[in-house]
Short mmCIF file of all heavy atoms in Angstrom, two decimals:
data_model
loop_
_atom_site.label_atom_id
_atom_site.label_comp_id
_atom_site.label_asym_id
_atom_site.label_seq_id
_atom_site.Cartn_x
_atom_site.Cartn_y
_atom_site.Cartn_z
N MET A 1 -20.76 -13.84 -25.43
CA MET A 1 -19.72 -12.87 -25.71
C MET A 1 -19.38 -12.93 -27.19
O MET A 1 -19.38 -13.99 -27.80
CB MET A 1 -18.49 -13.18 -24.85
CG MET A 1 -17.39 -12.19 -25.01
SD MET A 1 -16.13 -12.28 -23.75
CE MET A 1 -15.22 -13.69 -24.26
N ASP A 2 -19.08 -11.81 -27.75
CA ASP A 2 -18.70 -11.71 -29.15
C ASP A 2 -17.39 -12.46 -29.37
O ASP A 2 -16.41 -12.21 -28.67
CB ASP A 2 -18.54 -10.24 -29.52
CG ASP A 2 -18.30 -10.01 -30.99
OD1 ASP A 2 -17.82 -10.93 -31.67
OD2 ASP A 2 -18.57 -8.90 -31.46
N PRO A 3 -17.31 -13.39 -30.34
CA PRO A 3 -16.07 -14.14 -30.55
C PRO A 3 -14.89 -13.28 -30.99
O PRO A 3 -13.74 -13.68 -30.84
CB PRO A 3 -16.44 -15.16 -31.64
CG PRO A 3 -17.74 -14.74 -32.19
CD PRO A 3 -18.38 -13.81 -31.22
N GLN A 4 -15.14 -12.11 -31.50
CA GLN A 4 -14.05 -11.23 -31.92
C GLN A 4 -13.46 -10.44 -30.75
O GLN A 4 -12.40 -9.84 -30.87
CB GLN A 4 -14.54 -10.26 -32.99
CG GLN A 4 -14.94 -10.96 -34.26
CD GLN A 4 -15.51 -9.99 -35.28
OE1 GLN A 4 -15.70 -8.82 -34.99
NE2 GLN A 4 -15.79 -10.48 -36.46
N LEU A 5 -14.13 -10.46 -29.60
CA LEU A 5 -13.68 -9.69 -28.46
C LEU A 5 -12.40 -10.27 -27.85
O LEU A 5 -11.47 -9.52 -27.54
CB LEU A 5 -14.78 -9.63 -27.39
CG LEU A 5 -14.49 -8.81 -26.16
CD1 LEU A 5 -14.19 -7.36 -26.53
CD2 LEU A 5 -15.68 -8.87 -25.22
N ALA A 6 -12.31 -11.58 -27.72
CA ALA A 6 -11.12 -12.21 -27.11
C ALA A 6 -9.84 -11.89 -27.88
O ALA A 6 -8.85 -11.47 -27.27
CB ALA A 6 -11.32 -13.71 -26.98
N PRO A 7 -9.81 -12.05 -29.21
CA PRO A 7 -8.57 -11.69 -29.93
C PRO A 7 -8.22 -10.20 -29.81
O PRO A 7 -7.05 -9.84 -29.71
CB PRO A 7 -8.86 -12.05 -31.39
CG PRO A 7 -9.99 -13.02 -31.34
CD PRO A 7 -10.77 -12.68 -30.11
N ALA A 8 -9.22 -9.35 -29.76
CA ALA A 8 -8.96 -7.92 -29.62
C ALA A 8 -8.34 -7.63 -28.26
O ALA A 8 -7.40 -6.84 -28.14
CB ALA A 8 -10.25 -7.12 -29.80
N LEU A 9 -8.85 -8.27 -27.22
CA LEU A 9 -8.30 -8.07 -25.89
C LEU A 9 -6.90 -8.68 -25.77
O LEU A 9 -6.05 -8.14 -25.06
CB LEU A 9 -9.22 -8.66 -24.83
CG LEU A 9 -10.57 -7.96 -24.68
CD1 LEU A 9 -11.46 -8.72 -23.72
CD2 LEU A 9 -10.39 -6.53 -24.22
N LYS A 10 -6.66 -9.78 -26.46
CA LYS A 10 -5.35 -10.43 -26.41
C LYS A 10 -4.25 -9.51 -26.95
O LYS A 10 -3.13 -9.53 -26.46
CB LYS A 10 -5.39 -11.73 -27.20
CG LYS A 10 -4.15 -12.57 -27.06
CD LYS A 10 -4.31 -13.88 -27.79
CE LYS A 10 -3.04 -14.70 -27.69
NZ LYS A 10 -3.16 -15.96 -28.40
N THR A 11 -4.58 -8.70 -27.92
CA THR A 11 -3.58 -7.79 -28.48
C THR A 11 -3.11 -6.76 -27.45
O THR A 11 -2.03 -6.20 -27.58
CB THR A 11 -4.11 -7.05 -29.72
OG1 THR A 11 -5.23 -6.24 -29.34
CG2 THR A 11 -4.52 -8.02 -30.81
N LEU A 12 -3.93 -6.53 -26.42
CA LEU A 12 -3.56 -5.57 -25.39
C LEU A 12 -2.42 -6.06 -24.50
O LEU A 12 -1.80 -5.29 -23.79
CB LEU A 12 -4.76 -5.25 -24.51
CG LEU A 12 -5.84 -4.40 -25.15
CD1 LEU A 12 -6.99 -4.23 -24.19
CD2 LEU A 12 -5.29 -3.05 -25.56
N LEU A 13 -2.13 -7.36 -24.53
CA LEU A 13 -1.09 -7.92 -23.67
C LEU A 13 0.31 -7.66 -24.21
O LEU A 13 1.29 -7.84 -23.50
CB LEU A 13 -1.31 -9.42 -23.47
CG LEU A 13 -2.64 -9.78 -22.81
CD1 LEU A 13 -2.79 -11.28 -22.74
CD2 LEU A 13 -2.75 -9.16 -21.43
N VAL A 14 0.40 -7.23 -25.45
CA VAL A 14 1.70 -6.98 -26.07
C VAL A 14 2.21 -5.61 -25.64
O VAL A 14 1.48 -4.62 -25.68
CB VAL A 14 1.56 -7.05 -27.61
CG1 VAL A 14 2.87 -6.74 -28.28
CG2 VAL A 14 1.04 -8.41 -28.03
N VAL A 15 3.48 -5.57 -25.23
CA VAL A 15 4.11 -4.28 -24.89
C VAL A 15 4.59 -3.64 -26.19
O VAL A 15 5.42 -4.21 -26.89
CB VAL A 15 5.30 -4.48 -23.92
CG1 VAL A 15 5.96 -3.15 -23.62
CG2 VAL A 15 4.84 -5.17 -22.64
N PRO A 16 4.05 -2.48 -26.54
CA PRO A 16 4.45 -1.83 -27.78
C PRO A 16 5.95 -1.49 -27.79
O PRO A 16 6.53 -1.22 -26.74
CB PRO A 16 3.61 -0.55 -27.81
CG PRO A 16 2.48 -0.79 -26.88
CD PRO A 16 3.01 -1.73 -25.83
N ALA A 17 6.53 -1.49 -28.96
CA ALA A 17 7.95 -1.14 -29.10
C ALA A 17 8.19 0.25 -28.54
O ALA A 17 7.43 1.18 -28.80
CB ALA A 17 8.35 -1.21 -30.57
N GLY A 18 9.23 0.38 -27.74
CA GLY A 18 9.58 1.66 -27.16
C GLY A 18 8.80 2.01 -25.91
O GLY A 18 9.02 3.06 -25.32
N LYS A 19 7.89 1.13 -25.49
CA LYS A 19 7.10 1.37 -24.28
C LYS A 19 7.57 0.44 -23.17
O LYS A 19 8.20 -0.58 -23.42
CB LYS A 19 5.61 1.13 -24.54
CG LYS A 19 5.03 2.00 -25.64
CD LYS A 19 4.87 3.42 -25.18
CE LYS A 19 4.24 4.24 -26.29
NZ LYS A 19 3.97 5.58 -25.93
N ARG A 20 7.23 0.77 -21.93
CA ARG A 20 7.65 -0.05 -20.79
C ARG A 20 6.53 -0.90 -20.23
O ARG A 20 6.78 -1.84 -19.48
CB ARG A 20 8.19 0.86 -19.70
CG ARG A 20 9.47 1.53 -20.12
CD ARG A 20 9.98 2.53 -19.13
NE ARG A 20 9.73 2.18 -17.75
CZ ARG A 20 10.08 2.92 -16.72
NH1 ARG A 20 10.70 4.07 -16.93
NH2 ARG A 20 9.82 2.55 -15.49
N VAL A 21 5.29 -0.58 -20.56
CA VAL A 21 4.15 -1.31 -20.02
C VAL A 21 3.18 -1.65 -21.15
O VAL A 21 3.11 -0.95 -22.16
CB VAL A 21 3.42 -0.51 -18.92
CG1 VAL A 21 4.31 -0.29 -17.72
CG2 VAL A 21 2.93 0.81 -19.46
N PRO A 22 2.40 -2.72 -20.97
CA PRO A 22 1.37 -3.03 -21.99
C PRO A 22 0.25 -1.99 -21.95
O PRO A 22 0.12 -1.23 -21.00
CB PRO A 22 0.88 -4.41 -21.57
CG PRO A 22 1.22 -4.55 -20.13
CD PRO A 22 2.43 -3.69 -19.91
N GLU A 23 -0.55 -1.98 -22.97
CA GLU A 23 -1.62 -1.00 -23.09
C GLU A 23 -2.60 -1.03 -21.91
O GLU A 23 -3.04 0.03 -21.47
CB GLU A 23 -2.38 -1.20 -24.40
CG GLU A 23 -1.63 -0.66 -25.60
CD GLU A 23 -1.40 0.84 -25.50
OE1 GLU A 23 -2.38 1.60 -25.45
OE2 GLU A 23 -0.24 1.24 -25.44
N PRO A 24 -2.99 -2.19 -21.37
CA PRO A 24 -3.94 -2.15 -20.25
C PRO A 24 -3.42 -1.34 -19.07
O PRO A 24 -4.18 -0.65 -18.40
CB PRO A 24 -4.11 -3.62 -19.85
CG PRO A 24 -3.79 -4.38 -21.07
CD PRO A 24 -2.73 -3.57 -21.76
N GLU A 25 -2.13 -1.40 -18.82
CA GLU A 25 -1.56 -0.63 -17.71
C GLU A 25 -1.79 0.86 -17.95
O GLU A 25 -2.16 1.60 -17.04
CB GLU A 25 -0.07 -0.91 -17.59
CG GLU A 25 0.57 -0.24 -16.41
CD GLU A 25 0.12 -0.82 -15.08
OE1 GLU A 25 -0.23 -2.02 -15.04
OE2 GLU A 25 0.10 -0.08 -14.09
N ARG A 26 -1.61 1.31 -19.18
CA ARG A 26 -1.84 2.72 -19.51
C ARG A 26 -3.32 3.06 -19.37
O ARG A 26 -3.69 4.10 -18.85
CB ARG A 26 -1.37 3.01 -20.93
CG ARG A 26 -1.47 4.48 -21.32
CD ARG A 26 -1.05 4.71 -22.75
NE ARG A 26 -1.90 4.03 -23.70
CZ ARG A 26 -3.10 4.47 -24.08
NH1 ARG A 26 -3.59 5.58 -23.60
NH2 ARG A 26 -3.82 3.79 -24.95
N LEU A 27 -4.18 2.15 -19.81
CA LEU A 27 -5.62 2.40 -19.75
C LEU A 27 -6.14 2.37 -18.32
O LEU A 27 -7.10 3.05 -18.00
CB LEU A 27 -6.37 1.38 -20.61
CG LEU A 27 -6.08 1.43 -22.12
CD1 LEU A 27 -6.75 0.28 -22.83
CD2 LEU A 27 -6.51 2.75 -22.71
N TRP A 28 -5.53 1.57 -17.45
CA TRP A 28 -5.99 1.46 -16.07
C TRP A 28 -5.50 2.60 -15.20
O TRP A 28 -6.05 2.84 -14.14
CB TRP A 28 -5.50 0.15 -15.45
CG TRP A 28 -6.14 -1.07 -16.01
CD1 TRP A 28 -7.41 -1.20 -16.47
CD2 TRP A 28 -5.53 -2.34 -16.18
NE1 TRP A 28 -7.63 -2.47 -16.91
CE2 TRP A 28 -6.48 -3.20 -16.75
CE3 TRP A 28 -4.27 -2.84 -15.91
CZ2 TRP A 28 -6.22 -4.52 -17.05
CZ3 TRP A 28 -4.01 -4.16 -16.21
CH2 TRP A 28 -4.98 -4.99 -16.77
N THR A 29 -4.43 3.26 -15.61
CA THR A 29 -3.84 4.29 -14.77
C THR A 29 -4.66 5.57 -14.86
O THR A 29 -4.76 6.18 -15.92
CB THR A 29 -2.38 4.57 -15.20
OG1 THR A 29 -1.67 3.34 -15.21
CG2 THR A 29 -1.71 5.55 -14.27
N PRO A 30 -5.27 5.97 -13.74
CA PRO A 30 -6.11 7.18 -13.77
C PRO A 30 -5.26 8.45 -13.78
O PRO A 30 -4.08 8.41 -13.43
CB PRO A 30 -6.90 7.08 -12.46
CG PRO A 30 -5.99 6.32 -11.55
CD PRO A 30 -5.24 5.35 -12.43
N PRO A 31 -5.85 9.56 -14.15
CA PRO A 31 -5.11 10.81 -14.09
C PRO A 31 -4.75 11.15 -12.65
O PRO A 31 -5.52 10.89 -11.74
CB PRO A 31 -6.08 11.85 -14.68
CG PRO A 31 -7.40 11.20 -14.73
CD PRO A 31 -7.20 9.72 -14.63
N VAL A 32 -3.57 11.70 -12.46
CA VAL A 32 -3.10 12.05 -11.12
C VAL A 32 -3.60 13.43 -10.72
O VAL A 32 -3.91 13.68 -9.58
CB VAL A 32 -1.55 11.99 -11.08
CG1 VAL A 32 -1.04 12.38 -9.71
CG2 VAL A 32 -1.06 10.62 -11.46
N LYS A 33 -3.69 14.31 -11.68
CA LYS A 33 -4.12 15.68 -11.41
C LYS A 33 -5.46 15.95 -12.09
O LYS A 33 -5.86 15.24 -12.99
CB LYS A 33 -3.08 16.67 -11.94
CG LYS A 33 -1.73 16.52 -11.28
CD LYS A 33 -0.74 17.50 -11.86
CE LYS A 33 0.61 17.31 -11.20
NZ LYS A 33 1.60 18.21 -11.75
N SER A 34 -6.12 16.98 -11.66
CA SER A 34 -7.42 17.35 -12.23
C SER A 34 -7.28 18.53 -13.19
O SER A 34 -8.16 19.38 -13.26
CB SER A 34 -8.41 17.70 -11.12
OG SER A 34 -8.66 16.58 -10.34
N THR A 35 -6.19 18.57 -13.93
CA THR A 35 -6.00 19.66 -14.88
C THR A 35 -6.83 19.41 -16.13
O THR A 35 -7.30 18.29 -16.37
CB THR A 35 -4.52 19.78 -15.27
OG1 THR A 35 -4.14 18.58 -15.97
CG2 THR A 35 -3.63 19.99 -14.06
N GLY A 36 -6.98 20.41 -16.92
CA GLY A 36 -7.71 20.26 -18.18
C GLY A 36 -7.06 19.24 -19.08
O GLY A 36 -7.75 18.41 -19.70
N THR A 37 -5.73 19.26 -19.17
CA THR A 37 -5.00 18.31 -20.01
C THR A 37 -5.21 16.89 -19.52
O THR A 37 -5.42 15.97 -20.32
CB THR A 37 -3.49 18.64 -20.01
OG1 THR A 37 -3.33 20.00 -20.42
CG2 THR A 37 -2.73 17.74 -20.94
N ALA A 38 -5.16 16.68 -18.20
CA ALA A 38 -5.37 15.34 -17.64
C ALA A 38 -6.78 14.85 -17.94
O ALA A 38 -6.99 13.66 -18.23
CB ALA A 38 -5.12 15.35 -16.14
N MET A 39 -7.75 15.73 -17.88
CA MET A 39 -9.13 15.32 -18.16
C MET A 39 -9.32 14.98 -19.63
O MET A 39 -10.05 14.06 -19.97
CB MET A 39 -10.11 16.42 -17.72
CG MET A 39 -10.11 16.65 -16.21
SD MET A 39 -10.23 15.13 -15.23
CE MET A 39 -11.88 14.63 -15.57
N VAL A 40 -8.64 15.71 -20.50
CA VAL A 40 -8.70 15.39 -21.94
C VAL A 40 -8.12 13.99 -22.17
O VAL A 40 -8.69 13.17 -22.89
CB VAL A 40 -7.94 16.45 -22.78
CG1 VAL A 40 -7.75 15.97 -24.21
CG2 VAL A 40 -8.71 17.76 -22.76
N ARG A 41 -6.97 13.69 -21.54
CA ARG A 41 -6.37 12.36 -21.67
C ARG A 41 -7.29 11.29 -21.11
O ARG A 41 -7.41 10.20 -21.68
CB ARG A 41 -5.02 12.31 -20.95
CG ARG A 41 -3.93 12.98 -21.73
CD ARG A 41 -2.57 12.66 -21.11
NE ARG A 41 -1.69 13.78 -21.36
CZ ARG A 41 -1.06 14.49 -20.45
NH1 ARG A 41 -1.14 14.17 -19.19
NH2 ARG A 41 -0.31 15.50 -20.79
N ALA A 42 -7.96 11.58 -20.01
CA ALA A 42 -8.90 10.62 -19.41
C ALA A 42 -10.05 10.33 -20.37
O ALA A 42 -10.45 9.18 -20.54
CB ALA A 42 -9.42 11.15 -18.08
N MET A 43 -10.56 11.35 -21.01
CA MET A 43 -11.65 11.15 -21.97
C MET A 43 -11.17 10.38 -23.20
O MET A 43 -11.91 9.58 -23.77
CB MET A 43 -12.27 12.49 -22.37
CG MET A 43 -12.97 13.20 -21.23
SD MET A 43 -14.17 12.17 -20.36
CE MET A 43 -15.38 11.89 -21.62
N GLU A 44 -9.93 10.59 -23.60
CA GLU A 44 -9.36 9.82 -24.71
C GLU A 44 -9.25 8.35 -24.32
O GLU A 44 -9.50 7.47 -25.13
CB GLU A 44 -8.00 10.38 -25.10
CG GLU A 44 -8.09 11.71 -25.81
CD GLU A 44 -6.75 12.40 -26.00
OE1 GLU A 44 -5.73 11.95 -25.43
OE2 GLU A 44 -6.72 13.41 -26.73
N ARG A 45 -8.89 8.09 -23.04
CA ARG A 45 -8.83 6.70 -22.56
C ARG A 45 -10.21 6.07 -22.60
O ARG A 45 -10.38 4.92 -22.97
CB ARG A 45 -8.28 6.65 -21.13
CG ARG A 45 -6.79 6.81 -21.07
CD ARG A 45 -6.19 6.75 -19.67
NE ARG A 45 -6.92 6.00 -18.68
CZ ARG A 45 -7.40 6.50 -17.55
NH1 ARG A 45 -7.25 7.77 -17.26
NH2 ARG A 45 -8.03 5.74 -16.70
N VAL A 46 -11.23 6.81 -22.20
CA VAL A 46 -12.61 6.31 -22.24
C VAL A 46 -12.98 5.94 -23.67
O VAL A 46 -13.58 4.88 -23.92
CB VAL A 46 -13.60 7.35 -21.66
CG1 VAL A 46 -15.03 6.96 -21.95
CG2 VAL A 46 -13.37 7.53 -20.18
N GLU A 47 -12.62 6.77 -24.61
CA GLU A 47 -12.91 6.51 -26.02
C GLU A 47 -12.21 5.23 -26.50
O GLU A 47 -12.81 4.40 -27.18
CB GLU A 47 -12.49 7.69 -26.87
CG GLU A 47 -12.90 7.58 -28.32
CD GLU A 47 -12.53 8.83 -29.10
OE1 GLU A 47 -12.53 9.93 -28.52
OE2 GLU A 47 -12.24 8.69 -30.30
N GLU A 48 -10.95 5.06 -26.11
CA GLU A 48 -10.20 3.87 -26.50
C GLU A 48 -10.82 2.61 -25.90
O GLU A 48 -10.96 1.60 -26.58
CB GLU A 48 -8.75 3.96 -26.04
CG GLU A 48 -7.92 4.95 -26.83
CD GLU A 48 -6.49 4.99 -26.32
OE1 GLU A 48 -5.85 3.92 -26.32
OE2 GLU A 48 -6.03 6.07 -25.93
N ILE A 49 -11.20 2.68 -24.63
CA ILE A 49 -11.80 1.52 -23.97
C ILE A 49 -13.15 1.21 -24.59
O ILE A 49 -13.50 0.04 -24.79
CB ILE A 49 -11.90 1.77 -22.45
CG1 ILE A 49 -10.50 1.84 -21.85
CG2 ILE A 49 -12.74 0.69 -21.77
CD1 ILE A 49 -10.45 2.38 -20.43
N SER A 50 -13.91 2.23 -24.92
CA SER A 50 -15.23 2.02 -25.54
C SER A 50 -15.13 1.33 -26.89
O SER A 50 -16.04 0.61 -27.29
CB SER A 50 -15.94 3.36 -25.72
OG SER A 50 -16.20 3.94 -24.48
N ALA A 51 -14.00 1.51 -27.57
CA ALA A 51 -13.82 0.89 -28.89
C ALA A 51 -13.81 -0.63 -28.81
O ALA A 51 -14.07 -1.31 -29.80
CB ALA A 51 -12.53 1.39 -29.52
N PHE A 52 -13.54 -1.19 -27.63
CA PHE A 52 -13.54 -2.64 -27.49
C PHE A 52 -14.94 -3.22 -27.41
O PHE A 52 -15.12 -4.43 -27.48
CB PHE A 52 -12.75 -3.07 -26.25
CG PHE A 52 -11.28 -2.88 -26.42
CD1 PHE A 52 -10.63 -1.83 -25.82
CD2 PHE A 52 -10.55 -3.75 -27.22
CE1 PHE A 52 -9.28 -1.64 -25.99
CE2 PHE A 52 -9.20 -3.56 -27.41
CZ PHE A 52 -8.56 -2.51 -26.79
N GLY A 53 -15.94 -2.39 -27.27
CA GLY A 53 -17.31 -2.86 -27.26
C GLY A 53 -17.62 -3.77 -26.08
O GLY A 53 -18.36 -4.72 -26.21
N LEU A 54 -17.06 -3.47 -24.93
CA LEU A 54 -17.29 -4.31 -23.76
C LEU A 54 -18.73 -4.26 -23.29
O LEU A 54 -19.14 -5.10 -22.49
CB LEU A 54 -16.33 -3.93 -22.63
CG LEU A 54 -14.85 -4.13 -22.96
CD1 LEU A 54 -13.99 -3.60 -21.82
CD2 LEU A 54 -14.56 -5.58 -23.23
N GLY A 55 -19.48 -3.32 -23.78
CA GLY A 55 -20.90 -3.27 -23.44
C GLY A 55 -21.64 -4.47 -23.98
O GLY A 55 -22.75 -4.78 -23.56
N ARG A 56 -21.02 -5.19 -24.90
CA ARG A 56 -21.64 -6.39 -25.46
C ARG A 56 -21.55 -7.58 -24.52
O ARG A 56 -22.20 -8.58 -24.72
CB ARG A 56 -20.97 -6.76 -26.78
CG ARG A 56 -21.13 -5.68 -27.85
CD ARG A 56 -20.39 -6.06 -29.09
NE ARG A 56 -18.95 -5.94 -28.79
CZ ARG A 56 -18.00 -6.16 -29.67
NH1 ARG A 56 -18.29 -6.55 -30.88
NH2 ARG A 56 -16.74 -6.01 -29.34
N VAL A 57 -20.74 -7.48 -23.47
CA VAL A 57 -20.58 -8.57 -22.53
C VAL A 57 -21.72 -8.54 -21.54
O VAL A 57 -22.00 -7.50 -20.94
CB VAL A 57 -19.22 -8.47 -21.79
CG1 VAL A 57 -19.07 -9.58 -20.78
CG2 VAL A 57 -18.08 -8.50 -22.80
N ASN A 58 -22.39 -9.66 -21.35
CA ASN A 58 -23.51 -9.75 -20.42
C ASN A 58 -22.97 -9.91 -19.01
O ASN A 58 -22.44 -10.95 -18.65
CB ASN A 58 -24.41 -10.93 -20.79
CG ASN A 58 -25.63 -11.01 -19.90
OD1 ASN A 58 -25.81 -10.21 -18.99
ND2 ASN A 58 -26.47 -11.99 -20.17
N LEU A 59 -23.13 -8.88 -18.20
CA LEU A 59 -22.66 -8.90 -16.83
C LEU A 59 -23.81 -8.97 -15.83
O LEU A 59 -23.62 -8.72 -14.65
CB LEU A 59 -21.81 -7.65 -16.55
CG LEU A 59 -20.55 -7.49 -17.39
CD1 LEU A 59 -19.88 -6.16 -17.09
CD2 LEU A 59 -19.60 -8.64 -17.15
N SER A 60 -24.97 -9.34 -16.29
CA SER A 60 -26.14 -9.34 -15.41
C SER A 60 -26.02 -10.32 -14.25
O SER A 60 -26.61 -10.11 -13.20
CB SER A 60 -27.41 -9.63 -16.21
OG SER A 60 -27.31 -10.91 -16.80
N SER A 61 -25.25 -11.38 -14.41
CA SER A 61 -25.11 -12.37 -13.34
C SER A 61 -23.94 -12.06 -12.41
O SER A 61 -23.70 -12.78 -11.44
CB SER A 61 -24.94 -13.77 -13.93
OG SER A 61 -23.73 -13.84 -14.66
N VAL A 62 -23.21 -10.98 -12.67
CA VAL A 62 -22.04 -10.63 -11.87
C VAL A 62 -22.48 -9.70 -10.74
O VAL A 62 -23.18 -8.73 -10.96
CB VAL A 62 -20.97 -9.92 -12.73
CG1 VAL A 62 -19.80 -9.48 -11.88
CG2 VAL A 62 -20.51 -10.85 -13.85
N SER A 63 -22.05 -10.01 -9.54
CA SER A 63 -22.38 -9.19 -8.38
C SER A 63 -21.20 -8.26 -8.08
O SER A 63 -20.10 -8.72 -7.81
CB SER A 63 -22.66 -10.08 -7.18
OG SER A 63 -22.88 -9.30 -6.04
N VAL A 64 -21.44 -6.96 -8.15
CA VAL A 64 -20.41 -5.96 -7.89
C VAL A 64 -20.91 -5.04 -6.79
O VAL A 64 -22.03 -4.54 -6.86
CB VAL A 64 -20.07 -5.14 -9.16
CG1 VAL A 64 -19.03 -4.10 -8.87
CG2 VAL A 64 -19.64 -6.07 -10.28
N SER A 65 -20.08 -4.81 -5.78
CA SER A 65 -20.50 -3.95 -4.67
C SER A 65 -20.62 -2.50 -5.15
O SER A 65 -19.95 -2.07 -6.09
CB SER A 65 -19.51 -4.04 -3.52
OG SER A 65 -18.31 -3.39 -3.86
N VAL A 66 -21.45 -1.75 -4.46
CA VAL A 66 -21.67 -0.33 -4.79
C VAL A 66 -20.35 0.44 -4.66
O VAL A 66 -20.04 1.30 -5.48
CB VAL A 66 -22.74 0.27 -3.88
CG1 VAL A 66 -22.87 1.77 -4.08
CG2 VAL A 66 -24.07 -0.41 -4.12
N ASN A 67 -19.55 0.10 -3.65
CA ASN A 67 -18.27 0.79 -3.45
C ASN A 67 -17.34 0.59 -4.65
O ASN A 67 -16.68 1.52 -5.09
CB ASN A 67 -17.60 0.29 -2.17
CG ASN A 67 -16.45 1.17 -1.76
OD1 ASN A 67 -16.44 2.34 -2.06
ND2 ASN A 67 -15.47 0.59 -1.09
N ARG A 68 -17.30 -0.62 -5.19
CA ARG A 68 -16.46 -0.87 -6.36
C ARG A 68 -16.93 -0.11 -7.59
O ARG A 68 -16.15 0.26 -8.44
CB ARG A 68 -16.39 -2.37 -6.68
CG ARG A 68 -15.56 -3.12 -5.69
CD ARG A 68 -15.09 -4.40 -6.35
NE ARG A 68 -14.25 -5.12 -5.47
CZ ARG A 68 -12.92 -5.17 -5.58
NH1 ARG A 68 -12.32 -4.55 -6.53
NH2 ARG A 68 -12.22 -5.87 -4.73
N LEU A 69 -18.20 0.12 -7.69
CA LEU A 69 -18.73 0.89 -8.82
C LEU A 69 -18.45 2.38 -8.66
O LEU A 69 -18.21 3.07 -9.62
CB LEU A 69 -20.24 0.65 -8.97
CG LEU A 69 -20.65 -0.74 -9.42
CD1 LEU A 69 -22.17 -0.87 -9.36
CD2 LEU A 69 -20.15 -1.04 -10.81
N ASN A 70 -18.49 2.86 -7.44
CA ASN A 70 -18.29 4.29 -7.19
C ASN A 70 -16.83 4.71 -7.27
O ASN A 70 -16.53 5.84 -7.66
CB ASN A 70 -18.85 4.69 -5.83
CG ASN A 70 -20.35 4.67 -5.82
OD1 ASN A 70 -20.98 4.80 -6.85
ND2 ASN A 70 -20.93 4.49 -4.64
N THR A 71 -15.91 3.84 -6.94
CA THR A 71 -14.49 4.18 -6.93
C THR A 71 -13.99 4.64 -8.29
O THR A 71 -13.35 5.69 -8.40
CB THR A 71 -13.65 3.01 -6.39
OG1 THR A 71 -14.08 2.72 -5.07
CG2 THR A 71 -12.17 3.35 -6.36
N PRO A 72 -14.24 3.91 -9.40
CA PRO A 72 -13.76 4.39 -10.71
C PRO A 72 -14.39 5.73 -11.10
O PRO A 72 -13.81 6.50 -11.84
CB PRO A 72 -14.16 3.30 -11.68
CG PRO A 72 -14.36 2.09 -10.85
CD PRO A 72 -14.83 2.59 -9.52
N ALA A 73 -15.59 6.00 -10.62
CA ALA A 73 -16.28 7.25 -10.97
C ALA A 73 -15.56 8.46 -10.39
O ALA A 73 -15.64 9.55 -10.93
CB ALA A 73 -17.72 7.20 -10.48
N ARG A 74 -14.84 8.24 -9.28
CA ARG A 74 -14.09 9.35 -8.67
C ARG A 74 -12.91 9.66 -9.52
O ARG A 74 -12.36 10.62 -9.67
CB ARG A 74 -13.66 8.98 -7.26
CG ARG A 74 -14.81 8.98 -6.31
CD ARG A 74 -14.31 8.76 -4.90
NE ARG A 74 -15.23 7.82 -4.31
CZ ARG A 74 -14.88 6.81 -3.55
NH1 ARG A 74 -13.64 6.60 -3.26
NH2 ARG A 74 -15.79 6.03 -3.05
#
């Protein structure tokens, strides 16, 4: 794992001033409606999550069920 990844993820645990939840809660919360605006926000969330470079983490030894992979896709 990239040594810079852990400090970057640690910053997500801080609740920003004026907010009620930490950033991961916002990133984990899926859109409730299928409106155009909700889909734009969802794509913005994908962009934010991609910025962490989690693709650099080797998950080849992790076993994930097909159902767990399909659920986020919905």
Side-chain angles (χ1 to χ4, degrees):
M1 183 165 77
D2 186 337
Q4 295 176 354
L5 183 58
L9 293 174
K10 188 176 178 181
T11 62
L12 288 177
L13 299 177
V14 178
V15 178
K19 302 287 182 176
R20 293 174 34 181
V21 295
E23 283 298 299
E25 185 69 28
R26 185 182 63 79
L27 296 173
W28 291 327
T29 306
V32 179
K33 299 179 181 179
S34 296
T35 65
T37 304
M39 295 312 291
V40 168
R41 282 191 210 122
M43 294 308 295
E44 289 170 350
R45 282 181 27 240
V46 168
E47 187 176 329
E48 288 180 58
I49 293 167
S50 296
F52 288 104
L54 297 175
R56 298 176 289 182
V57 178
N58 183 359
L59 299 175
S60 61
S61 64
V62 176
S63 176
V64 179
S65 72
V66 173
N67 193 28
R68 287 203 178 257
L69 291 174
N70 289 336
T71 300
R74 287 186 223 138

